[in-house]
Each structure stands twice: as structure tokens, then as C-alpha cells.
Amino acid sequence: MWGLLLALAAFAPAVGPALGAPRNSVLGLAQPGTTKVPGSTPALHSSPAQPPAETANGTSEQHVRIRVIKKKKVIMKKRKKLTLTRPTPLVTAGPLVTPTPAGTLDPAEKQETGCPPLGLESLRVSDSRLEASSSQSFGLGPHRGRLNIQSGLEDGDLYDGAWCAEEQDADPWFQVDAGHPTRFSGVITQGRNSVWRYDWVTSYKVQFSNDSRTWWGSRNHSSGMDAVFPANSDPETPVLNLLPEPQVARFIRLLPQTWLQGGAPCLRAEILACPVSDPNDLFLEAPASGSSDPLDFQHHNYKAMRKLMKQVQEQCPNITRIYSIGKSYQGLKLYVMEMSDKPGEHELGEPEVRYVAGMHGNEALGRELLLLLMQFLCHEFLRGNPRVTRLLSEMRIHLLPSMNPDGYEIAYHRGSELVGWAEGRWNNQSIDLNHNFADLNTPLWEAQDDGKVPHIVPNHHLPLPTYYTLPNATVAPETRAVIKWMKRIPFVLSANLHGGMNDFSYLHTNCFEVTVELSCDKFPHENELPQEWENNKDALLTYLEQVRMGIAGVVRDKDTELGIADAVIAVDGINHDVTTAWGGDYWRLLTPGDYMVTASAEGYHSVTRNCRVTFEEGPFPCNFVLTKTPKQRLRELLAAGAKVPPDLRRRLERLRGQKD
């Protein structure tokens, strides 16, 4: 459907790598934070048990654990003594930040370390601004050194999950150009995501520059020597290191010091950085990003989500209703916000649409977009926005912001940058809800190959497989709740803000559904939410409006004029039918054109008519009136104990004569 494709194209595109399953160490590799130099005795090495804590004087203090290690070796590369040079200070017209000879900030300019990510993971930092001393291949180039980037599934894929320097590179480095003066406050690293190799950096140094030629390092307060930061002990867990002092510069460079023996220096990274002003306008400033909508731009845990939804309901009581479709494995309710001019009521001829988010608990953007959408619809309805008013008067909108609240709570606790690619993805039973819906594709394809569709096997409303309905079937309570919700409400159009239930929804119900990949960053920082809202706001509204394209109507009984439930609506040339709701109303999304449409129901004569879909807004009305078959009329009369009328008796006699 071109209308759906156009609406989908309006969503912020997902320009990302091929996904690969996260890998934990299964090879008996070194314990976290351990090193052993070849030929040496067991060494002591420190690893961060938690992020550095800020002391009373504003400095950072590392909390470390000490482990004695007897296995697995790490290459420790001897480096030449670094000669610190005085950085070139920025020319300023006033008393702004000026780097000291050691490359640190003046005490009066010390800032909090809570800087947002620079944007490696979210692709705000372009490939051209990432450089390295060397790369093993194009697929392991510096453009792949982004936090949480995933590898391909085949050995030698064009794109792999990290930047990796050549093994013979004596002085490897990975460099990021911030584009303008920036206050760097911390670094987050991961190892290499790969189904074939386990490579990660275990320690590194950091340098800074204003011109990419003259560099200075980050130094320890106690020793005055270059700080060596502990890095990763497995491929996936993000490790945060805050700098002893934030540094103002344009370039930041990571210099691996140690890595696993037999491997290569490989890493993925994100840089924490706050923008600073440039009074001399030496650098072009990036356009301001954000949103003018007065919405709550922050990440909401379960408690905060409930509170926000209640606030929206209290602000717009005439167009909202909150209900629950069930509970998670941990007992958290799956709340839905319904928005319509008559909430709680299915109006005859009015389509039902839905948005679902949070199927993977650590994919937080979809959750926040739906919370923002319900706020926006409420706010704009009160303002009299004609577009929003029409949406709420012509359809019934259902918003499920968190299908997997258990997983989200885990991800939320870890935080935006440290949650990693997999933590919080599954529900509390370790079930991936994305793959938990019944496979209806395979039996349908097999039936099509055998020529059984649609005469023997229907092409719509496929039943659940027997194995799926057994008491011991591995079906999550969240999945069961959504399936019951699908069957209870006659949804016409849906979008899952990432997940595989779109095929199930299409084959098991009337609902047309698409999956929308929102961002390369599963859990964007809060300061990115306003721009993400602006990126997707209009598309979220436009997609809902696609429900107007096609045909709609009511199938009625000629004698009683009542709607006929479960009547089948078939479009000639399209091998997928829909059925009417309990009131006899139906909706069939179609692109503009002329269609031969047939309505049929058990006990009724089928009726076929031409229905034309135009480019004008609103579905084309295509109603049907069906007449009962003689057998059905006789069956109903006999059941009611009534006499058979003469016209029906004569018709039945003619039918018997035709058979004889």
C-alpha cells in the first residue's frame, strides 16, 4: 500500500548496521579487569567496581577491586614516555575557559561530569569525524567504533562490530573530532561485537588537541602522570570512565595500552561532552535542536509513566481513558491510553488504531514518543488544533507505551549509555517478546504451495497453532495479553515502534501493521528526546491518518437491517480478506483505484459490487445488504416455531426439483 509506505517513509530512518546477537564469553577468558604479562608472575590489576565518585573538593575518586589472576594473558604494550606539550589555547575576547599548561580547566571553570553523549551511537557524529591510526579492514574502520554497533552474522562481513587496529600497529589510536570546542568529561567503551572473534581493549589513555597536531593528556591528580583508564573485561558491557578533570578541546584521542593476547586492539566508544561557546566564532555552530512543544522530555520509569498518564487523563478527561490489558511476569500492569471523542465506546463505522512500544525493554525511544504523543494530542485538542480534533473525532486511538515494563525497569536502572545492547531486552522470564508470537507464516505458505488457499485454508484470521495453546507453552504473559487485546478490539491499523508481531497481527486479525525502526540508539540521552520528537511527530500523526484511505461500510441483513458480524470482505485480485466487527462495520485499506469487492456470510447469498477509491480524503463508503439463503430462513423459522411462508415453500420446492 503506497499510502502506508509513504507514511512509513516519513518516520526517522534507521541508518544502522546489521543486527547480530550479543555474545557473552564462553571461552573461559580472563576475569573482569585482569592482566598478566607473558612470562611474568600473577599480576594485580584494578577494575572499576562502580563509576568514580566525586569528592568534596570536586575531584573524582576511583573505587577499585583487586583480583589475583592465574589464567589468560593480556598483551601489555610498552610505550614511549609521553612528552606533554603545552596546548594551543583558544583565542578569546573575554574571561572564558582557558586550558592550563597541563591541559586542565581552571578551578573556577570546573563543571559537573554529567555531560550528554557527543553522538557516536546516535550517528550525530558523522563517519568523516572519526579517524584511527590504522584499521584491519574497511568493516573494522573507525566509522565502526560506535557504542553498541553490531556486527554481521557471517565471517568477513563488510561491516563488523568495532574499530580494530592492525595487529602490527605499534601505537594504535582512535580519534573523534567534535567539530568545535567541547568540554570532554568522560569516555564509555565496549569490546568487539562479533560471532567469530573476542577482542577488546583492557586499558587506554586519553589525549586532547585543538588542532589535531599538538596533544596533551589526561593526568592523575596524585601522581601527575598520564592517567591509564581500565577498559573492558568482556565484549558487551559498557564501561564508563570519568576524566579526573574535564578538558576543553576540539579533538579527543583514545590510545589503547593493553588488550587480550592473540587479539587486536578493538573498541567501540561513546564520548561524554558538553558544548562550550566560541566567542570568536572560529567554528560554525550546529543548528539548535529541540522542540517548542511544552511536553515532559525525560525518561519515565514505571511509576513516573503511570503518574504522567494520569496527569494527561485528568487534563483531558473527555477524550481519554486509561485501561490495562493484563500484567507482566513481575505483575506490572500493561497500561493503555485510549484517546477519542467518545472514549470507552466503539462507534459504528469508526476505525480503531493503535501504537505499541517497549516490546524490547531497553528500547526506550518508542516508549517516550508515545508518552509525548498522548501529551501532545491532549494539549493540542484543548487548543483547538483542527488536525488533532479531526483525528480524535474520526478514530479511536490506543497507545501502549510499555509492552515489556519488567525489562525497561532493568534498562532504566542502568541508564542511557550504560545499559548496552541486550540488558533489559527480554522480559523477566528471559523471553524475547519479539519472537514470542505464534508462527502463522509457515502454515500459510505451505497451504498456498499445496493449493489450499483460500478454499480450504483461509487467508485471514488464521487460528493459533495447537502447540501454542497448551498449558505448558512458552508464551509470556505479556504476549498473551496483547493477543487477547487484538482479538477484543477490531483494530484496522497499527505500528509497533520496533518488534516481529506485525506478521502475526496481519494473519490473525484484520489489522494492518508495520514495524518502525526508530533510531540507531536504543536508549537515547534525555537531551536528545526533544529532537527525536520533532523528527517523528508529524510522521506519527500522518500514519494515523492513513486509516482514512480505502473503503469502509456496514454489512446488513436485508430483513432485519441489523449488522452481520464476521462477514467476509474479499477484494478481487488481493489474496487477503478482512471480516466485519460485531456491529457489521468493516474497514479495508486500499490505494486509489477501482475494485470489485464481495461480501459474504454464512447463511447468506454473497453480493459483489464495484467500489472506487479516490485521492480525496476519507474512505469510500461501500455498504452491503445480504439476503438469507432459503435454507437459512427455513432454519430460523423452524427454530422459532413459526409457519413457513408460501414464497419460501415454493422456492425450496424448486431447489429440490433442480437436485432431482
Side-chain angles (χ1 to χ4, degrees):
M1 294 178 57
W2 285 108
L4 292 181
L5 293 176
L6 290 173
L8 182 58
F11 281 90
V15 184
L19 294 179
R23 303 285 294 189
N24 294 322
S25 174
V26 295
L27 302 179
L29 298 178
Q31 295 296 319
T34 63
T35 62
K36 184 179 178 183
V37 180
S40 69
T41 57
L44 296 178
H45 188 75
S46 64
S47 66
Q50 57 185 0
E54 193 168 86
T55 61
N57 63 4
T59 62
S60 296
E61 183 180 81
Q62 290 276 19
H63 296 271
V64 301
R65 295 180 295 185
I66 303 298
R67 285 196 176 97
V68 177
I69 302 304
K70 298 182 179 180
K71 294 184 178 180
K72 202 59 193 173
K73 301 178 180 179
V74 175
I75 289 181
M76 181 173 287
K77 180 173 65 63
K78 293 184 178 180
R79 299 185 57 86
K80 297 178 181 178
K81 183 177 179 181
L82 176 66
T83 302
L84 293 178
T85 58
R86 183 184 183 92
T88 304
L90 296 177
V91 180
T92 60
L96 285 169
V97 179
T98 303
T100 65
T104 59
L105 294 176
D106 290 332
E109 296 296 335
K110 290 179 182 177
Q111 298 291 325
E112 295 181 359
T113 55
C115 288
L118 188 62
L120 275 70
E121 182 178 10
S122 65
L123 298 181
R124 287 203 316 277
V125 176
S126 64
D127 289 351
S128 62
R129 289 160 58 186
L130 304 178
E131 296 184 66
S133 57
S134 65
S135 301
Q136 291 184 14
S137 65
F138 176 79
L140 292 167
H143 62 295
R144 303 297 293 173
R146 301 175 182 273
L147 195 73
N148 285 317
I149 205 164
Q150 301 295 296
S151 69
L153 298 178
E154 302 293 335
D155 190 18
D157 274 345
L158 184 60
Y159 297 102
D160 211 346
W163 159 71
C164 289
E166 295 179 350
E167 295 187 14
Q168 62 269 28
D169 189 343
D171 296 289
W173 51 262
F174 173 81
Q175 176 178 310
V176 181
D177 177 5
H180 48 76
T182 302
R183 179 179 290 104
F184 298 111
S185 66
V187 177
I188 302 170
T189 58
Q190 285 173 308
R192 175 179 178 178
N193 176 271
S194 175
V195 297
W196 300 98
R197 294 287 301 270
Y198 294 86
D199 296 320
W200 60 82
V201 171
T202 57
S203 67
Y204 61 91
K205 292 182 179 180
V206 182
Q207 290 182 340
F208 309 92
S209 175
N210 291 319
D211 57 12
S212 76
R213 293 186 298 274
T214 304
W215 295 86
W216 72 95
S218 179
R219 302 200 297 181
N220 282 324
H221 290 293
S222 57
S223 66
M225 302 295 291
D226 288 342
V228 178
F229 299 95
N232 299 87
S233 57
D234 64 64
E236 292 298 330
T237 305
V239 174
L240 166 65
N241 281 293
L242 299 178
L243 302 179
E245 290 281 358
Q247 302 288 314
V248 174
R250 174 176 171 177
F251 299 89
I252 184 171
R253 179 178 283 185
L254 308 185
L255 301 97
Q257 301 296 295
T258 58
W259 51 92
L260 289 183
Q261 183 181 25
C266 299
L267 60 78
R268 294 173 285 169
E270 181 60 90
I271 308 298
L272 302 185
C274 292
V276 296
S277 60
D278 175 26
N280 294 318
D281 294 327
L282 298 177
F283 301 93
L284 293 175
E285 292 189 7
S289 62
S291 174
S292 60
D293 293 328
L295 308 177
D296 186 12
F297 294 105
Q298 62 175 312
H299 288 293
H300 298 80
N301 63 7
Y302 182 74
K303 182 178 180 180
M305 181 189 74
R306 290 195 310 173
K307 181 179 179 181
L308 177 64
M309 294 177 72
K310 184 178 180 181
Q311 289 173 343
V312 173
Q313 201 278 327
E314 291 173 347
Q315 189 176 6
C316 294
N318 295 330
I319 60 167
T320 59
R321 180 176 75 101
I322 300 174
Y323 65 95
S324 171
I325 63 171
K327 294 183 178 181
S328 70
Y329 184 73
Q330 288 288 89
L332 301 181
K333 291 185 177 180
L334 307 181
Y335 286 113
V336 176
M337 173 66 78
E338 177 193 330
M339 307 193 77
S340 171
D341 59 345
K342 293 184 179 179
E345 176 184 347
H346 172 71
E347 300 179 67
L348 189 70
E350 188 168 291
E352 310 266 0
V353 295
R354 71 171 182 255
Y355 277 126
V356 177
M359 173 178 279
H360 289 152
N362 64 345
E363 295 179 3
L365 180 55
R367 174 192 183 102
E368 295 306 326
L369 286 179
L370 293 194
L371 294 177
L372 292 168
L373 178 61
M374 62 181 71
Q375 296 176 66
F376 177 81
L377 292 176
C378 171
H379 183 265
E380 293 302 302
F381 177 80
L382 295 178
R383 290 182 63 244
N385 183 317
R387 185 183 188 186
V388 170
T389 301
R390 185 179 180 187
L391 278 174
L392 296 176
S393 63
E394 291 186 353
M395 65 189 70
R396 191 175 171 214
I397 302 170
H398 304 257
L399 307 176
L400 172 60
S402 184
M403 182 180 167
N404 182 5
D406 296 350
Y408 179 81
E409 291 301 293
I410 295 173
Y412 179 85
H413 179 73
R414 288 284 290 162
S416 174
E417 275 58 67
L418 298 181
V419 67
W421 187 85
E423 192 171 8
R425 175 185 176 92
W426 300 276
N427 79 337
N428 219 264
Q429 293 172 282
S430 298
I431 294 177
D432 188 344
L433 303 181
N434 184 34
H435 302 289
N436 197 227
F437 288 84
D439 175 19
L440 301 182
N441 295 315
T442 300
L444 182 65
W445 292 335
E446 291 175 350
Q448 285 180 334
D449 292 340
D450 296 337
K452 297 180 180 179
V453 177
H455 304 292
I456 301 176
V457 176
N459 59 13
H460 62 279
H461 288 266
L462 271 64
L464 294 174
T466 302
Y467 75 87
Y468 200 81
T469 60
L470 297 176
N472 61 346
T474 307
V475 183
E478 297 90 342
T479 309
R480 292 190 188 276
V482 170
I483 292 175
K484 291 180 180 178
W485 184 42
M486 291 178 175
K487 298 171 77 169
R488 186 169 68 249
I489 298 177
F491 291 113
V492 181
L493 184 64
S494 173
N496 182 14
L497 305 188
H498 182 72
M501 69 182 183
N502 52 337
D503 292 336
F504 176 87
S505 179
Y506 181 73
L507 295 175
H508 191 62
T509 73
N510 283 339
C511 190
F512 283 36
E513 182 163 336
V514 298
T515 292
V516 180
E517 299 283 357
L518 287 169
S519 171
C520 293
D521 189 348
K522 290 172 175 284
F523 206 130
H525 192 273
E526 282 187 351
N527 78 330
E528 297 175 295
L529 293 178
Q531 188 59 50
E532 292 288 0
W533 167 246
E534 288 300 316
N535 292 343
N536 293 282
K537 173 175 67 175
D538 189 67
L540 289 168
L541 301 178
T542 301
Y543 185 74
L544 293 175
E545 292 167 339
Q546 301 310 299
V547 79
R548 300 173 181 157
M549 184 177 291
I551 60 176
V554 181
V555 180
R556 300 182 186 275
D557 183 297
K558 181 180 179 180
D559 298 327
T560 65
E561 297 186 353
L562 297 177
I564 302 174
D566 296 321
V568 177
I569 306 298
V571 179
D572 189 32
I574 300 179
N575 191 27
H576 183 72
D577 304 334
V578 299
T579 58
T580 57
W582 52 83
D585 48 347
Y586 78 92
W587 306 263
R588 182 62 167 89
L589 303 182
L590 294 168
T591 54
D594 289 319
Y595 299 92
M596 296 302 297
V597 184
T598 300
S600 59
E602 185 177 355
Y604 290 86
H605 293 291
S606 299
V607 174
T608 300
R609 57 168 296 188
N610 180 269
C611 299
R612 170 171 291 183
V613 179
T614 66
F615 285 93
E616 298 179 3
E617 285 196 31
F620 178 81
C622 195
N623 300 308
F624 293 88
V625 177
L626 303 187
T627 303
K628 292 186 179 72
T629 63
K631 289 184 178 180
Q632 179 65 20
R633 289 180 62 194
L634 178 62
R635 189 179 299 117
E636 293 178 359
L637 289 171
L638 293 176
K643 293 183 178 180
V644 179
D647 66 319
L648 178 57
R649 187 182 301 111
R650 289 193 296 270
R651 191 168 184 182
L652 290 170
E653 289 174 352
R654 285 199 301 270
L655 289 174
R656 293 192 192 100
Q658 291 175 1
K659 289 184 179 180
D660 294 340

